[in-house]
Amino acid sequence: MANEVCLRTLDLERPWLLEQYQSRGGYEMLKKILTEKTAPEAIIEEVKKSGLRGRGGAGFPTGLKWSFISRNAPGQKYVVCNSDEGEPGTFKDRDILRYNPHQLIEGMVIAGYAIGATRGYNYIRGEFWEPYERFEQALEEARKAGYLGKDLLGSGYDFELHTHLGAGAYICGEETALLESIEGKKGQPRYKPPFPAHFGLYGCPTIINNTESLASIPMIMEKGGEWFADIGVKNSGGSKLFSISGNINNPGVFEIPMGTPFSELLAMAGGMKNGHKIKAVIPGGSSAPVIPGDQMMELTMDYDTIAGAGSMLGSGAVIVLDDTNCMVKVLERMSYFYHEESCGQCTPCREGTGWLYRIVHRIETGQGRQEDLDLLDDVADKISGKTICALGDAAAMPVQGMLRHFRHEFQHHIDHKRCMVGLG
Amino acid sequence: MTTTTANEKKERFTPEIRAEIDRWIAKYPAEWKQSAVMGALMVVQDSNGGWLTTELMDQVATYLDMPPIAVYEVATFYSMYELKPVGKHKICVCTNVSCMTNKSDLIVEHLEKKLGIGFGEVTEDGRFSLKEVECLGACGGAPMMQIGRQYYENLTPEIVDAILEGLE
Amino acid sequence: MLIDVTDAAGIRIPRFCYHKKLSVSANCRMCLVEVEKVPKPLPACATPVADGMKVFTRSPRALAAQKGTMEFLLINHPLDCPICDQGGECELQDVAIGYGRDVSRYSEGKRVVADKNIGPLIATDMTRCIHCTRCVRFGDEIAGIREMGATGRGEHTVIGTYIEKSVDSELSGNVIDLCPVGALTSKPFRFNARAWELTQVDAIAPHDSLGSNINLHLRGNKVMRVHPRDNESINETWISDRDRFSYEGLYSSDRLTTPMIKKDGEWKDVSWDMALEMAAASLGEIKAADQIGALVSPTATLEELYLTQKLMNGLGCNNIDSRLRQGDFRLDNSLKRVNWLGMKIGEIDSLDAALVVGGNLRKEQPILAHRLRKAALAGADIHVITPQHLELIYKSRQLICTPGEMVKHLAAVAKAAGVKQGGTIGKLLDAADANEDAKAAAKGLKDGDTSAVMLGAMAQSHPDFSLLYSLAATLAEATGAKLSIVPAAVNSVGAQLAGAVPYLQAGGKPAESTGLDALGMLQQPCSGYLLLGVEPGMDFHNGALSQTALQSADMVVAISAYTSPELEACCDILLPMAIFTETSGTYVNAEGAWQQCRGAVKPQGEARPGWKILRVLGNLLNQQGFDYTDPGEIGEELRLLCEDVSLDNKLSPATDLEPRLGVDGLQRGGDTPLYATDPLVRRATALQQTKDAGEAVIRLHPIEAERQGLNSAENALIRQNGYQATLPVALDDSIPEGCVWISTGLRDTSMLGQPFGEVTVEKA
């Protein structure tokens, strides 16, 4: 049951080409919807039924998100795709853009039809030049074939789609920061409410979904919401792309059913490199709290199970760490990342992420003080839940996770001014 | 003789650059020319050897009817805009967790030794500059780097040597 | 939002980024409170209130969140309160006392920000900045010009201009008040006093016609700085930079501090008794009453204006005028009432359309422009007929033409609006081309529920003001728009009520016979003049004429706060007058609101309040009704006379007017720069270092420069009506072709004539 949705064309020679996509029934669902004039409500209902939850990391039910748009409100509405893939450990959307761009386009047009939008943007991170060119090429093909533009396939429905290219800012993966960025501003998150469904791009009603979520739509429409839901487990419908990296033999992107045991995923990824022992797993991108390796080996890859273990499935980015890793060093690097990527807008994150990093850095370099672990806990606590967007939480969670499971390593660094792992 | 006001504000882009910026402008609603600022900055940065001068930013502001400060804000916010000269080949090395645990430090060390420069520096001949970057979304190929627009994955010092040799 | 509700209820929630006049940004996180059933603390500034909502502003969770934010704000703050100008009036300091810790847990190096010079008005110490972005939002939302921003990202975010650049908004000083910390402070005030040494006195700003409400901050007998005082119907919470920083001019070294007389060409100090007796004697000596002219400043107090009028009246003449910059008085016989803004100041906010003729409101009446901007943001359709391209702070359509073509363009709008008239106006309408621009402007005025035709300072100093006024009046009538003759100065309306215009008597009623107007008094020189608060050359429509006419008079008495080379050259007696902070007085603003203030400090040297000087002159000239003991009696006397006056811009258009300004040949255009309007602001040193102080240069379009052979000239000789000057040349494509631009109000252009008229230029 692998590669059934977003990566279903991966076995083709040049799956990014229109004719190759069409050889697997690509754009048939769009044609069907447009010619049969399927009721938009029915599409939203099908998506709800599928149990599809936002694949960017937040896991919000996609169908529910779409239903927040008042479809018949006058004025422009927008569909925005979030391809600003930047959560450390995540590299799945890059593959959708490179290998199956047409399925994303088809998904976006269907989404536009469902909410009554006639314009869309795909926000691709600036570093993704190859995926950007692939996607642009696909847009060109789709326009020529009449799947984009005016009066699609004679249906009277218009939909135009463009790429917006980012320029290097993790925060733009946050949906409202992304909208600001399309508007030609710094990518600083907006205070919510209002949510994008009411006040989105250019102040218009907007749905914004992750690349994988939107690329899943054509298959949900083709085979039905129930089919999709049944691939997965309760509360975690469908299959999902997992990006697995770290100290493993065969890192990569795997599209597997939700609820697959982590041990199976690890086996698919070739197991641990150089025969080392698994020490810890970050199961959902770097902001997800770390889970000790032994515990992880017993878990399945779905929202509820990972949440039950005190972490989150996030974007499905699995970073596997073996026993040669010093967890202080790992946290230092992660904290540096959030410090670098804080947008600087609100106080706790702007000031707190730097503070967190400096404390961890101090411990890592043998300057730690006895009070530092309590201070770390306290600073993380003062950031989390106090910021405009989730970046503050994302910076605090790894700290909290590390201290929960590996406090002794940090304590050792402080007590002995050196690492307890290897030569550290 | 002093020349003031509107005179100074004329942009002096070549027709090619204008055409490229216009392509970005065309993607957005007419009253949202500002949306093209990121694309425009990338266009003029590429045309200027990979970095932005204040004059270029001011010209983008004029071309897009934006206050200059709004352009400065964007140019200083996103990490891909360079405000100082960079090498002909800008080498961006990821050092985030997946790359770090796959020994990106050896790649960095190798590059620093080979080029004789550290992060944020340009080789004397202007050919290379080094930059530490955050996760580039290619963790499956860790350790990795980006030179110009191209990704290079599964690096070893030997592979790095071969890549650099292959560059003009 | 919740914070408005708690503020109104007197429940204090700490905050930094929130400001009632700015958009909500919710970035400081200081106002986090606990809301029942909500897992996370919420910012009170961004949380709408709902029925039955239960909020805890000081629960343990709320306090913990607030204290957490406070700690974050302080880790990178330098805590240099002892050397910070904000000390004692710092929001961060105040809140830190309630929510901060005694000892910092942050032991790393603090952020340091290199400062940039952003001009002569605002001092920066950006290391102290807490990134509340009030200053950035102010520029964007209120001033309408984005000069400051937040560049960089994360902890490295820097608030500022990014490049070394002066902040040029005429409202810029308000960021000093908005800044909750000592990052942006007043440069002129810097290191001069501590907040707790200062006492506060109410006053009225004595420049533009709004009469913005201010507080004077005094140490002992000295005005140390000026702050805005809230008045929602006038200046809201803002003041212009002119109102804020002009106080520096109070302490100019050329304050006139002792009475002086000129004897055999030499000036000497004399006693008050002697000076007043000589002044009265020489005024009394002039036998023909109509040989005396009184030229009075519209920034003088109502009491001073009224007593001057009363004195002139007692001498048997109505040669008094306060419209010193006006260029055309042909309507004086048709004007029977007091001109004014034509609406309440607050009504500007909700205009649906406006046509501004010959006015750069931003640089004439800054707060008025801010209000018009509010209307524009709400969708008002704004058109401008202007003799130079204007950098405006709101969206508008500018019809740019030479000064001579302004009448034609206004006639076109009137024609498009369907105005029908006979006489001169009819001829202008016949000749006008009601093109698309004109139709659009007319349509805006017609379609708007409330719209206005506004005549600004450049229209009023135009040699065909009477035509512009007549056309505007018919246009307003045809479109149902309000007609606004934007009053120039703080007491322009008051001066009319006081009878300090030749066609009105005190109380604003028509005079029995119209006296000489401000220009007439100089064109048909009088034997003697009484000047009140004005400077020859700079304060007049025709600088050169004002100086030659006054110099040729037998006798000139000036009541003035300053001396100057021009005054000394023209006058025979100088009587030192107390200035606005030193005397009580009344100001009647553009909408007709009477505002009083009391003297806050003692007059400098031997200077005396103007009303006292005029009282003694009246007594010495044996006039009746000059026995006041208190300035309140003077104001009250005038108020009674004004009881049934109505402010009214209506006009029965004269039918026999001919255009005086041609459309051929090279024309001069000229404005009065923002900081050149009156003697006080011309002496405010910091303001004089800004762009808005104006420059004595010849500005012209590069194409026109080419035509005139000036494109590579450093300097040019300009000739106007027999006057001439050599000035630097500046190319400026905001000036229409066929026109050279030379500002008035400047010492170095004061030897030239009127701001609009034919000129020739040649390379010098």
Side-chain angles (χ1 to χ4, degrees):
Chain A
M1 282 281 278
N3 294 355
E4 292 221 23
V5 183
C6 295
L7 299 184
R8 70 195 172 97
T9 57
L10 200 58
D11 57 312
L12 297 172
E13 200 185 334
R14 302 173 77 194
W16 54 88
L17 295 179
L18 178 64
E19 40 112 358
Q20 300 255 303
Y21 179 60
Q22 283 176 319
S23 74
R24 287 276 166 85
Y27 287 113
E28 287 305 318
M29 282 325 295
L30 179 62
K31 278 186 206 162
K32 183 162 179 276
I33 287 168
L34 290 176
T35 48
E36 292 177 7
K37 304 218 184 297
T38 308
E41 298 76 18
I43 296 172
I44 297 177
E45 206 38 55
E46 210 57 46
V47 176
K48 278 187 181 168
K49 233 187 268 173
S50 75
L52 176 64
R53 291 170 60 171
R55 298 302 196 220
F60 192 83
T62 304
L64 189 59
K65 205 177 202 180
W66 291 11
S67 66
F68 291 151
I69 298 253
S70 61
R71 200 183 173 281
N72 297 317
Q76 187 59 264
K77 297 177 200 65
Y78 291 97
V79 175
V80 175
C81 173
N82 184 345
S83 298
D84 190 49
E85 183 166 55
E87 177 75 17
T90 316
F91 47 99
K92 64 188 179 70
D93 297 335
R94 179 182 175 219
D95 280 0
I96 294 175
L97 294 169
R98 288 197 294 177
Y99 303 126
N100 202 4
H102 281 291
Q103 191 161 319
L104 174 58
I105 294 171
E106 187 177 3
M108 287 187 75
V109 184
I110 294 172
Y113 176 87
I115 64 150
T118 59
R119 261 182 114 85
Y121 291 97
N122 183 17
Y123 189 108
I124 300 179
R125 65 176 296 178
E127 296 89 342
F128 275 0
W129 188 259
E130 184 199 7
Y132 164 71
E133 287 198 309
R134 280 275 170 81
F135 190 74
E136 282 284 295
Q137 187 192 348
L139 284 180
E140 206 43 53
E141 285 183 317
R143 266 185 211 119
K144 275 195 189 133
Y147 299 129
L148 287 175
K150 294 250 173 255
D151 189 20
L152 303 188
L153 308 172
S155 64
Y157 174 62
D158 304 338
F159 191 82
E160 193 43 88
L161 176 57
H162 294 289
T163 311
H164 185 95
L165 201 53
Y170 166 70
I171 190 61
C172 290
E174 198 282 339
E175 58 181 15
T176 56
L178 185 151
L179 297 178
E180 289 281 298
S181 185
I182 297 181
E183 291 181 4
K185 305 173 197 162
K186 293 181 289 181
Q188 292 194 323
R190 299 173 182 169
Y191 183 79
K192 291 183 278 191
F195 289 91
H198 296 115
F199 189 92
L201 184 61
Y202 306 126
C204 303
T206 300
I207 56 158
I208 170 162
N209 292 110
N210 171 253
T211 314
E212 184 185 345
S213 308
L214 286 166
S216 303
I217 300 300
M219 290 309 292
I220 291 172
M221 296 316 297
E222 183 183 324
K223 301 205 171 174
E226 264 172 48
W227 168 83
F228 186 83
D230 287 348
I231 298 176
V233 293
K234 186 167 173 275
N235 278 338
S236 299
S239 58
K240 159 117 198 63
L241 302 188
F242 288 95
S243 325
I244 181 165
S245 66
N247 308 121
I248 51 176
N249 282 313
N250 183 22
V253 179
F254 299 89
E255 185 170 34
I256 53 172
M258 286 283 203
T260 302
F262 167 74
S263 54
E264 276 180 34
L265 176 61
L266 181 60
M268 281 182 225
M272 299 304 294
K273 205 149 80 174
N274 301 329
H276 282 292
K277 191 173 171 301
I278 186 167
K279 179 174 183 179
V281 173
I282 299 162
S286 81
S287 37
V290 68
I291 296 178
D294 296 343
Q295 187 186 351
M296 193 67 203
M297 291 301 280
E298 307 301 319
L299 303 179
T300 54
M301 300 305 289
D302 56 85
Y303 292 110
D304 291 353
T305 305
I306 302 295
S311 187
M312 56 185 205
L313 193 67
S315 58
V318 185
I319 303 173
V320 183
L321 300 168
D322 67 21
D323 55 6
T324 64
N325 286 282
C326 164
M327 299 314 264
V328 182
K329 194 173 176 196
V330 170
L331 182 62
E332 183 202 22
R333 187 62 190 80
M334 295 198 297
S335 294
Y336 181 76
F337 170 75
Y338 294 106
H339 167 49
E340 272 291 298
E341 297 294 345
S342 167
C343 83
Q345 183 179 205
C346 70
T347 308
C349 178
R350 179 184 63 244
E351 307 295 344
T353 52
W355 197 359
L356 284 180
Y357 163 67
R358 290 186 181 99
I359 300 168
V360 182
H361 177 71
R362 180 159 90 201
I363 298 170
E364 164 64 13
T365 52
Q367 317 283 312
R369 304 168 198 154
Q370 288 304 328
E371 65 271 23
D372 276 351
L373 298 187
D374 290 340
L375 184 59
L376 266 183
D377 260 335
D378 192 48
V379 173
D381 182 55
K382 285 192 156 70
I383 298 172
S384 78
K386 318 287 193 300
T387 51
I388 291 178
C389 79
L391 195 140
D393 297 332
M397 280 188 294
V399 173
Q400 292 160 335
M402 284 291 189
L403 289 180
R404 184 153 62 236
H405 296 296
F406 297 97
R407 198 176 183 97
H408 57 285
E409 272 193 45
F410 286 77
Q411 190 62 51
H412 189 276
H413 261 264
I414 293 170
D415 293 343
H416 303 281
K417 314 279 180 221
R418 60 182 294 278
C419 190
M420 63 185 280
V421 181
L423 297 174
Chain B
M1 163 147 28
T2 50
T3 303
T4 56
T5 65
N7 272 324
E8 273 171 27
K9 295 190 191 157
K10 294 253 159 59
E11 49 68 33
R12 297 176 295 274
F13 292 142
T14 62
E16 294 75 30
I17 288 181
R18 261 188 232 145
E20 274 195 75
I21 298 176
D22 289 347
R23 236 169 37 81
W24 282 105
I25 293 174
K27 294 183 176 197
Y28 308 100
E31 66 278 21
W32 279 95
K33 249 166 129 177
Q34 180 177 349
S35 282
V37 67
M38 293 177 67
L41 285 172
M42 210 47 90
V43 169
V44 298
Q45 172 163 292
D46 287 348
S47 76
N48 187 50
W51 70 291
L52 292 168
T53 61
T54 304
E55 291 70 38
L56 283 172
M57 292 189 266
D58 288 345
Q59 290 185 47
V60 167
T62 305
Y63 198 71
L64 299 177
D65 295 329
M66 291 170 70
I69 186 72
V71 177
Y72 307 150
E73 283 185 336
V74 169
T76 56
F77 186 85
Y78 297 94
S79 61
M80 288 173 72
Y81 301 120
E82 303 292 341
L83 303 164
K84 286 190 307 196
V86 293
K88 182 181 175 196
H89 303 290
K90 180 168 98 175
I91 305 174
C92 299
V93 191
C94 173
T95 60
N96 210 302
V97 175
S98 291
C99 284
M100 181 182 87
T101 196
N102 280 293
K103 306 278 180 283
S104 59
D105 50 342
L106 295 183
I107 302 300
V108 173
E109 214 172 278
H110 181 71
L111 280 164
E112 287 181 337
K113 211 188 287 172
K114 187 179 171 78
L115 301 174
I117 53 171
F119 284 136
E121 294 175 353
V122 188
T123 54
E124 256 174 44
D125 61 5
R127 288 193 71 217
F128 298 102
S129 56
L130 261 188
K131 182 172 182 170
E132 181 177 31
V133 294
E134 293 302 340
C135 182
L136 292 182
C139 320
M144 63 81 65
M145 65 181 178
Q146 180 173 25
I147 304 179
R149 288 167 170 170
Q150 185 76 40
Y151 274 23
Y152 298 91
E153 304 180 34
N154 302 307
L155 300 176
T156 62
E158 295 72 37
I159 293 174
V160 168
D161 285 344
I163 292 167
L164 295 195
E165 257 161 55
L167 295 173
E168 281 173 28
Chain C
M1 294 297 164
L2 182 55
I3 203 163
D4 302 311
V5 175
T6 53
D7 277 359
I11 299 163
R12 180 74 194 164
I13 298 174
R15 86 290 304 270
F16 297 108
C17 68
Y18 171 81
H19 189 276
K20 61 184 177 182
K21 290 281 179 185
L22 301 174
S23 66
V24 170
S25 67
N27 65 41
C28 80
R29 319 305 283 177
M30 194 63 219
C31 68
L32 292 173
V33 293
E34 183 180 347
V35 178
E36 194 180 54
K37 291 186 196 130
V38 179
K40 293 179 185 180
L42 296 178
C45 68
T47 302
V49 285
D51 259 354
M53 187 173 172
K54 213 166 174 186
V55 179
F56 305 91
T57 62
R58 295 189 61 83
S59 66
R61 278 185 59 214
L63 281 177
Q66 292 160 6
K67 287 182 174 174
T69 298
M70 191 72 235
E71 185 171 24
F72 286 133
L73 283 170
L74 291 179
I75 65 172
N76 273 310
H77 187 78
L79 301 173
D80 58 344
C81 309
I83 57 156
C84 175
D85 243 25
Q86 194 87 352
E89 52 181 356
C90 173
E91 295 175 46
L92 186 67
Q93 203 176 33
D94 294 348
V95 177
I97 288 166
Y99 299 86
R101 289 168 174 266
D102 297 340
V103 182
S104 174
R105 296 192 291 172
Y106 183 78
S107 52
E108 344 288 322
K110 286 178 184 253
R111 174 175 55 226
V112 175
V113 179
D115 283 306
K116 294 204 166 64
N117 181 3
I118 61 168
L121 305 180
I122 303 166
T124 54
D125 285 280
M126 300 319 289
T127 300
R128 297 177 186 145
C129 172
I130 57 168
H131 306 88
C132 71
T133 69
R134 279 186 192 170
C135 57
V136 177
R137 282 175 284 147
F138 174 81
D140 202 13
E141 298 163 15
I142 307 294
I145 142 170
R146 275 266 263 139
E147 298 183 282
M148 300 191 66
T151 53
R153 184 164 91 190
E155 200 182 71
H156 312 295
T157 304
V158 173
I159 303 287
T161 49
Y162 183 68
I163 52 166
E164 190 92 20
K165 165 196 181 302
S166 61
V167 167
D168 295 331
S169 163
E170 58 285 344
L171 299 174
S172 71
N174 289 296
V175 300
I176 297 166
D177 305 333
L178 288 173
C179 182
V181 297
L184 303 173
T185 54
S186 164
K187 212 176 240 185
F189 173 70
R190 197 161 216 223
F191 304 141
N192 278 332
R194 281 303 201 176
W196 56 85
E197 301 175 295
L198 302 173
T199 53
Q200 179 167 297
V201 180
D202 292 357
I204 301 300
H207 303 288
D208 64 42
S209 66
L210 273 76
S212 287
N213 290 194
I214 54 174
N215 282 318
L216 306 173
H217 288 183
L218 315 175
R219 188 173 59 191
N221 194 44
K222 191 169 181 194
V223 178
M224 302 302 291
R225 65 176 178 185
V226 169
H227 272 193
R229 179 160 50 93
D230 282 17
N231 185 331
E232 200 52 36
S233 66
I234 297 176
N235 51 299
E236 303 172 46
T237 62
W238 319 115
I239 53 172
S240 66
D241 288 355
R242 182 164 57 183
D243 292 347
R244 181 184 302 269
F245 294 110
S246 69
Y247 74 90
E248 281 197 293
L250 299 171
Y251 302 102
S252 166
S253 59
D254 61 357
R255 273 297 297 270
L256 183 62
T257 53
T258 173
M260 296 170 81
I261 60 166
K262 186 154 68 180
K263 207 168 179 194
D264 305 326
E266 291 289 312
W267 281 98
K268 58 181 218 179
D269 297 354
V270 293
S271 70
W272 264 112
D273 286 349
M274 187 177 204
L276 286 165
E277 270 165 31
M278 286 188 66
S282 43
L283 285 171
E285 255 172 39
I286 297 166
K287 291 297 168 221
D290 60 355
Q291 278 300 305
I292 305 180
L295 295 158
V296 297
S297 168
T299 64
T301 66
L302 190 66
E303 290 75 5
E304 290 159 359
L305 292 163
Y306 173 53
L307 289 191
T308 309
Q309 192 276 345
K310 195 169 177 180
L311 190 74
M312 292 301 290
N313 211 27
L315 292 171
C317 104
N318 218 14
N319 294 346
I320 179 167
D321 211 341
S322 53
R323 302 165 300 166
L324 308 183
R325 297 192 191 280
Q326 189 164 313
D328 178 7
F329 300 90
R330 286 176 285 171
L331 290 179
D332 275 13
N333 282 316
S334 345
L335 289 171
K336 298 291 175 218
R337 294 197 180 80
V338 175
N339 283 348
W340 68 308
L341 185 63
M343 64 195 118
K344 288 282 179 194
I345 291 166
E347 287 182 84
I348 291 181
D349 304 14
S350 51
L351 286 175
D352 298 313
L355 171 66
V356 181
V357 182
N360 187 1
L361 296 182
R362 233 189 110 181
K363 304 296 183 184
E364 293 169 14
Q365 315 278 342
I367 298 288
L368 215 62
H370 151 66
R371 286 186 175 274
L372 193 55
R373 174 179 148 76
K374 287 208 260 182
L377 289 176
D381 184 19
I382 299 177
H383 294 256
V384 185
I385 295 176
T386 172
Q388 69 173 136
H389 175 265
L390 304 174
E391 296 276 337
L392 294 179
I393 50 174
Y394 38 77
K395 216 170 113 189
S396 71
R397 180 131 188 190
Q398 295 190 32
L399 298 165
I400 302 156
C401 56
T402 63
E405 293 167 333
M406 287 168 65
V407 169
K408 189 173 90 180
H409 282 285
L410 182 56
V413 180
K415 186 175 188 172
V419 171
K420 299 268 187 299
Q421 276 283 331
T424 318
I425 302 299
K427 268 191 272 175
L428 289 171
L429 291 170
D430 289 343
D433 169 21
N435 55 21
E436 290 311 309
D437 286 338
K439 282 181 192 150
K443 186 174 187 306
L445 294 174
K446 243 182 195 164
D447 291 353
D449 284 339
T450 54
S451 55
V453 181
M454 307 174 83
L455 297 181
M458 285 184 278
Q460 293 173 41
S461 61
H462 197 283
D464 289 315
F465 173 54
S466 58
L467 292 175
L468 293 170
Y469 192 160
S470 302
L471 284 165
T474 56
L475 173 62
E477 203 175 322
T479 55
K482 297 172 192 294
L483 176 62
S484 178
I485 313 298
V486 182
V490 64
N491 239 345
S492 288
V493 173
Q496 297 175 73
L497 293 172
V501 288
Y503 58 94
L504 295 176
Q505 50 176 302
K509 290 163 197 79
E512 280 162 23
S513 65
T514 300
L516 288 171
D517 57 63
L519 207 49
M521 279 183 246
L522 300 170
Q523 283 164 339
Q524 308 155 35
C526 302
S527 314
Y529 292 94
L530 177 61
L531 306 182
L532 178 71
V534 299
E535 290 188 280
M538 275 86 81
D539 282 323
F540 290 85
H541 175 68
N542 187 327
L545 177 66
S546 68
Q547 296 181 77
T548 51
L550 290 169
Q551 278 176 31
S552 66
D554 296 338
M555 190 281 308
V556 179
V557 177
I559 301 173
S560 171
Y562 300 97
T563 182
S564 72
E566 291 80 5
L567 280 164
E568 289 180 12
C570 295
C571 301
D572 301 284
I573 300 173
L574 289 171
L575 303 175
M577 177 173 70
I579 206 162
F580 90 106
T581 53
E582 301 164 354
T583 179
S584 50
T586 305
Y587 301 95
V588 184
N589 74 2
E591 65 177 21
W594 291 50
Q595 304 191 91
Q596 266 141 348
C597 53
R598 305 211 63 86
V601 293
K602 286 203 289 283
Q604 286 178 50
E606 291 181 47
R608 292 291 173 268
W611 70 271
K612 285 192 180 173
I613 299 170
L614 289 157
R615 178 188 64 183
V616 179
L617 280 177
N619 287 332
L620 289 172
L621 286 163
N622 294 317
Q623 295 195 9
Q624 300 300 306
F626 274 83
D627 301 319
Y628 307 100
T629 55
D630 184 283
E633 298 167 17
I634 309 169
E636 196 47 36
E637 185 176 308
L638 181 60
R639 188 190 282 275
L640 289 173
L641 292 172
C642 291
E643 263 182 347
D644 54 351
V645 74
S646 60
L647 310 181
D648 192 349
N649 294 330
K650 270 209 202 76
L651 176 76
S652 25
T655 50
D656 54 349
L657 302 171
E658 288 302 323
R660 298 199 294 204
L661 192 56
V663 291
D664 304 321
L666 189 63
Q667 293 180 20
R668 174 186 173 181
D671 59 341
T672 308
L674 185 57
Y675 303 144
T677 50
D678 57 69
L680 174 62
V681 72
R682 285 195 292 267
R683 288 168 172 81
T685 45
L687 290 175
Q688 289 307 315
Q689 292 161 30
T690 67
K691 280 188 189 161
D692 285 329
E695 238 186 318
V697 294
I698 301 172
R699 293 185 184 282
L700 74 178
H701 196 283
I703 295 171
E704 189 60 40
E706 183 101 39
R707 202 173 286 147
Q708 301 293 337
L710 293 179
N711 46 344
S712 61
E714 287 283 339
N715 296 297
L717 175 69
I718 177 153
R719 294 179 209 270
Q720 181 181 21
N721 291 346
Y723 306 118
Q724 64 180 58
T726 299
L727 295 170
V729 174
L731 300 185
D732 183 343
D733 61 10
S734 68
I735 310 299
E737 291 174 44
C739 184
V740 296
W741 198 265
I742 303 165
S743 297
T744 65
L746 307 171
R747 174 157 287 140
D748 292 339
T749 62
S750 68
M751 72 295 288
L752 288 170
Q754 64 206 49
F756 300 103
E758 273 189 44
V759 291
T760 62
V761 288
E762 64 190 77
K763 196 167 169 175

